[in-house]
Amino acid sequence: MNLMEIIVIFSLVLGILLLNRPVTSLFQRLYTKHQFKRFVAKETFYHSVVSRHFRYYNRLPLEAQRKFLFRTFLFQHSKNFHYIEVEQSAEMPILVSAAAIQLTFGLDKFKLNYFDDIFILRDDYHYGFYSRPFMGHVDQTGIYLSWDNFMRGINGQTANCNVGLHEMAHALAYVNFITQTEEDKHFKTEFPNFSKVARPIFTSMQGEHGIKNLLGDYAATNYHEFWAVAVEVFFESPVQFRHELPELYKAMSRVLNQDSLSGASGSTTIIVRAETAVSAAEPEPIFV
């Protein structure tokens, strides 16, 4: 290979690298525009479904509600939903998707894109060699939710227990720290700061004489569960959370980039961003 051929090949490779980002960005914009047209035709139905069950959504200003619904539409259409011993309805994938969007509404990355499959089961189920029944779990094969527990959670029938938010919190950690397939810069930057506050509280809850707090005993199981339970309580009992664990509440607001108690109107406020880097967890864990 002579020098001229090397220069030509190098120029081609460099050109591809330089053009890759703008071309990808253009494709993404065209795809989003196409999806938005499809969404507009269904927006009224999405609103009717989500507004019946999500107080979080109903507190948003109108412009943010539309963003919430469009993200819900995009999330739903990026997944394969499987229904196991439960009758499928048009509302089910919308509500599950809305739970994911509630959690990630302050972040740029929201599709949890490692997970192509979401499995909806009728009620509590047994999994693997575990003796106790599951309400939901996340592993390398997908996100699993029991429908009766999911509905009780979003309708506020179980205090500080929302299986949809709980499992989506596991999935968010999974795609950022385990597979690293959809890393949100803000979330990964802020999570070590969250852990500086959260780890000492988690440690204080350990053992027979561990300190009891609003998060409950299950949060002391391991740090994955502490994170997921803290997410549930952050959204389900924010006033009590901020009163009893104010520093943890602030840290959660920062890592999720949202605070549902800010502002006199009580509407969800998206807050500002920061920067740093991050840890990982064990490979292919099961989150419950």
Side-chain angles (χ1 to χ4, degrees):
M1 186 180 293
N2 61 38
L3 180 60
M4 184 55 70
E5 289 175 323
I6 292 171
I7 291 171
V8 169
I9 292 170
F10 177 78
S11 300
L12 283 171
V13 171
L14 183 61
I16 290 168
L17 291 174
L18 291 174
L19 286 173
N20 183 50
R21 182 173 292 179
V23 169
T24 302
S25 178
L26 175 62
F27 176 79
Q28 188 60 47
R29 284 199 304 273
L30 291 172
Y31 174 76
T32 301
K33 190 174 180 181
H34 171 70
Q35 289 293 79
F36 188 74
K37 286 180 181 177
R38 293 180 60 209
F39 158 71
V40 167
K42 300 180 179 181
E43 183 174 2
T44 302
F45 179 63
Y46 273 67
H47 170 76
S48 69
V49 172
V50 174
S51 62
R52 283 200 306 272
H53 298 282
F54 282 79
R55 289 171 298 166
Y56 175 96
Y57 169 81
N58 292 326
R59 293 197 302 266
L60 295 172
L62 289 177
E63 187 178 344
Q65 284 188 352
R66 188 170 225 202
K67 175 183 174 181
F68 186 100
L69 293 180
F70 185 42
R71 282 191 168 197
T72 299
F73 175 88
L74 291 174
F75 183 95
Q76 178 189 346
H77 286 83
S78 71
K79 309 299 176 198
N80 302 310
F81 286 83
H82 308 270
Y83 305 90
I84 301 169
E85 296 183 351
V86 63
E87 188 175 345
Q88 177 182 352
S89 72
E91 289 84 0
M92 293 166 86
I94 295 174
L95 292 174
V96 171
S97 300
I101 300 310
Q102 177 175 340
L103 172 66
T104 59
F105 200 53
L107 306 177
D108 289 333
K109 302 293 181 70
F110 60 90
K111 289 184 183 175
L112 307 178
N113 70 1
Y114 171 78
F115 297 103
D116 295 325
D117 298 293
I118 296 179
F119 300 85
I120 300 176
L121 300 96
R122 186 180 59 204
D123 46 28
D124 291 354
Y125 58 94
H126 284 87
Y127 172 77
F129 297 106
Y130 294 90
S131 57
R132 64 181 179 79
F134 280 43
M135 291 193 291
H137 77 277
V138 171
D139 65 18
Q140 68 272 20
T141 65
I143 299 168
Y144 295 74
L145 301 163
S146 59
W147 185 245
D148 61 342
N149 289 302
F150 177 86
M151 289 303 296
R152 280 200 288 269
I154 65 171
N155 290 325
Q157 295 173 332
T158 47
N160 293 336
C161 182
N162 184 316
V163 71
L165 287 172
H166 185 103
E167 301 310 332
M168 295 306 172
H170 283 318
L172 178 62
Y174 203 103
V175 299
N176 276 278
F177 303 130
I178 307 299
T179 63
Q180 300 185 39
T181 48
E182 191 179 52
E183 298 171 275
D184 185 275
K185 186 177 180 182
H186 170 83
F187 182 76
K188 289 200 74 167
T189 290
E190 203 53 55
F191 200 87
N193 298 324
F194 170 81
S195 287
K196 285 177 187 174
V197 177
R199 280 280 183 188
I201 297 171
F202 169 71
T203 301
S204 74
M205 297 169 70
Q206 301 304 300
E208 189 179 339
H209 303 293
I211 295 171
K212 305 292 183 185
N213 61 42
L214 174 64
L215 301 181
D217 293 341
Y218 190 61
T221 306
N222 57 55
Y223 194 58
H224 298 307
E225 297 307 329
F226 180 92
W227 156 250
V229 170
V231 163
E232 290 178 272
V233 180
F234 176 77
F235 287 109
E236 296 295 302
S237 298
V239 175
Q240 192 178 359
F241 194 161
R242 187 171 68 174
H243 176 71
E244 294 190 20
L245 296 165
E247 293 307 311
L248 185 62
Y249 183 89
K250 283 182 203 169
M252 183 66 82
S253 293
R254 286 192 294 268
V255 75
L256 293 180
N257 194 38
Q258 58 172 305
D259 180 359
S260 60
L261 292 180
S262 286
S265 67
S267 62
T268 298
T269 301
I270 305 305
I271 57 180
V272 257
R273 318 210 154 204
E275 322 254 299
T276 307
V278 73
S279 62
E282 62 267 26
E284 299 190 350
I286 296 167
F287 297 121
V288 296

